[in-house]
Amino acid sequence: MLFLDVKCWDIKHYQIEILLVFQVIFISVVAAYVREEHQSFSMPYFLNRPNNVTFHRGDTAVLRCAIENIGTKTVIWRRTSDPNPITIGELQFISDPRIALQKLPERKEFNLLIKDVQPKDGGVYECQVSARKKLTKLILLRVNSKPLPAAPSIFVSGTQFVEKGDSIHLVCNSSGIDNPPDNLDWFKDGIKISPDAHQKITLEKYKFTATKTLVSVLVLKHSQMADAGTYVCRSSNLDTTSVKVHILNAGSPNVKRGTSTVEEMTGTTVKLKLSLCVLLVTLVLDVLLLYQFTGDIL
């Protein structure tokens, strides 16, 4: 009986030991998993930024690289076709003054800037984090050989103040992106202007392919008071510009308003000077009379 009791106790003892071993193994596995998860969570990783960018020749190219959990680790920029680094941290290892590192801590970005970018700068660039596990982000830079096309422009010039009976002469210049505009139209107070020999209105157009410009010259001979107003030039690209024309009537005091104003100011100045001279002479005479009167009394 005693033997059976001892044997049962040994079996229970071994069961307890086996259970303890399994518990230790389970705890070790869980601890290793938690530690690995914690390390992976605290490891740096790249945030979403464009991997493929295109710029025009002469632009400032920006290659963006955003990193979370960077900590004290270093960011390295290099071109995949060149084994030598461009930057390591804030140190630059090439003498090209066009290239610089842009740090934006609030956006967690370590960007590579290339000013006045040229087609030769195109290629694949690598943003790398110096960590135990190599972290690399590749960015493809494309550079268009043509510079950014200029925006279409339109402007008008000419006589804005015309004497009644003189000619109104207006010139409209309009340029396109790839080619000159197909046409230019003139409007006055919302009404389209057409050439009219009876009213002596002429329209002439000149196309300059080299500068992608179309020029329209509007001439209205023997202007009348009704010809005053706003003249609008509109291109076939729907770009518009305008100018306001004033007709001056020779019989109206408005024509010589500037001259009259000058004459009035000149007359006023002369009158003021004369008044000051009279006042000064009067004061001198008063002083002399007072001096003579005082001398007689004494």
Side-chain angles (χ1 to χ4, degrees):
M1 187 69 178
L2 181 60
F3 175 75
L4 290 175
D5 290 340
V6 172
K7 190 173 182 180
C8 290
W9 185 86
D10 289 340
I11 292 174
K12 291 181 180 181
H13 178 71
Y14 287 128
Q15 288 177 343
I16 293 173
E17 287 184 349
I18 292 172
L19 181 61
L20 289 174
V21 169
F22 276 109
Q23 287 179 346
V24 170
I25 294 174
F26 177 76
I27 293 173
S28 300
V29 170
V30 170
Y33 175 78
V34 171
R35 183 168 57 253
E36 183 178 352
E37 286 294 316
H38 176 72
Q39 289 178 352
S40 62
F41 180 76
S42 60
M43 285 288 290
Y45 59 91
F46 294 105
L47 299 176
N48 187 27
R49 293 295 185 274
N51 295 328
N52 192 332
V53 293
T54 302
F55 294 90
H56 290 275
R57 176 168 55 88
D59 288 348
T60 297
V62 182
L63 308 184
R64 301 187 182 276
C65 183
I67 306 169
E68 186 70 70
N69 297 330
I70 184 65
T72 58
K73 296 176 177 61
T74 303
V75 177
I76 302 170
W77 274 101
R78 59 181 293 270
R79 198 169 180 174
T80 56
S81 60
D82 187 351
N84 300 315
I86 299 173
T87 62
I88 298 179
E90 297 185 2
L91 299 177
Q92 186 167 321
F93 289 85
I94 60 174
S95 58
D96 192 338
R98 301 178 303 126
I99 296 178
L101 182 71
Q102 179 192 53
K103 292 181 64 176
L104 301 175
E106 67 280 3
R107 296 173 56 88
K108 302 177 181 179
E109 289 185 353
F110 301 81
N111 304 326
L112 186 68
L113 304 184
I114 306 176
K115 300 178 182 178
D116 189 24
V117 68
Q118 300 298 318
K120 65 178 183 179
D121 299 317
V124 180
Y125 290 77
E126 179 182 283
C127 177
Q128 180 182 334
V129 180
S130 61
R132 182 179 60 183
K133 181 181 178 181
K134 186 178 180 180
L135 298 174
T136 301
K137 176 183 176 68
L138 299 179
I139 302 173
L140 174 61
L141 170 63
R142 290 190 176 94
V143 181
N144 289 337
S145 58
K146 292 183 178 180
L148 184 66
S153 63
I154 185 170
F155 64 92
V156 65
S157 59
T159 51
Q160 292 181 270
F161 296 89
V162 182
E163 294 277 358
K164 180 182 176 182
D166 291 346
S167 296
I168 299 174
H169 191 278
L170 300 175
V171 180
C172 180
N173 291 263
S174 179
S175 62
I177 297 178
D178 298 318
N179 298 290
D182 295 328
N183 198 12
L184 289 173
D185 293 318
W186 287 94
F187 299 84
K188 178 186 176 294
D189 300 332
I191 301 174
K192 185 177 179 179
I193 301 174
S194 300
D196 191 330
H198 176 68
Q199 296 183 0
K200 298 183 179 180
I201 300 175
T202 61
L203 280 171
E204 295 181 352
K205 296 176 184 177
Y206 307 91
K207 183 177 289 187
F208 301 93
T209 306
T211 57
K212 304 171 186 176
T213 303
L214 181 64
V215 178
S216 177
V217 180
L218 170 65
V219 178
L220 289 83
K221 297 180 180 179
H222 306 299
S223 62
Q224 301 298 319
M225 299 302 296
D227 293 324
T230 301
Y231 289 77
V232 176
C233 177
R234 185 185 69 185
S235 72
S236 54
N237 300 330
L238 302 182
D239 297 317
T240 61
T241 185
S242 63
V243 63
K244 192 170 184 179
V245 175
H246 305 266
I247 305 297
L248 307 178
N249 192 347
S252 172
N254 292 333
V255 177
K256 297 183 179 181
R257 184 178 299 168
T259 306
S260 300
T261 303
V262 172
E263 291 175 355
E264 290 173 5
M265 292 178 63
T266 304
T268 303
T269 304
V270 172
K271 290 178 182 179
L272 182 59
K273 289 182 178 180
L274 289 174
S275 299
L276 290 174
C277 288
V278 171
L279 179 60
L280 183 59
V281 170
T282 303
L283 289 174
V284 171
L285 290 175
D286 289 341
V287 170
L288 291 174
L289 290 174
L290 180 61
Y291 178 79
Q292 184 177 1
F293 178 76
T294 306
D296 291 341
I297 294 176
L298 295 174

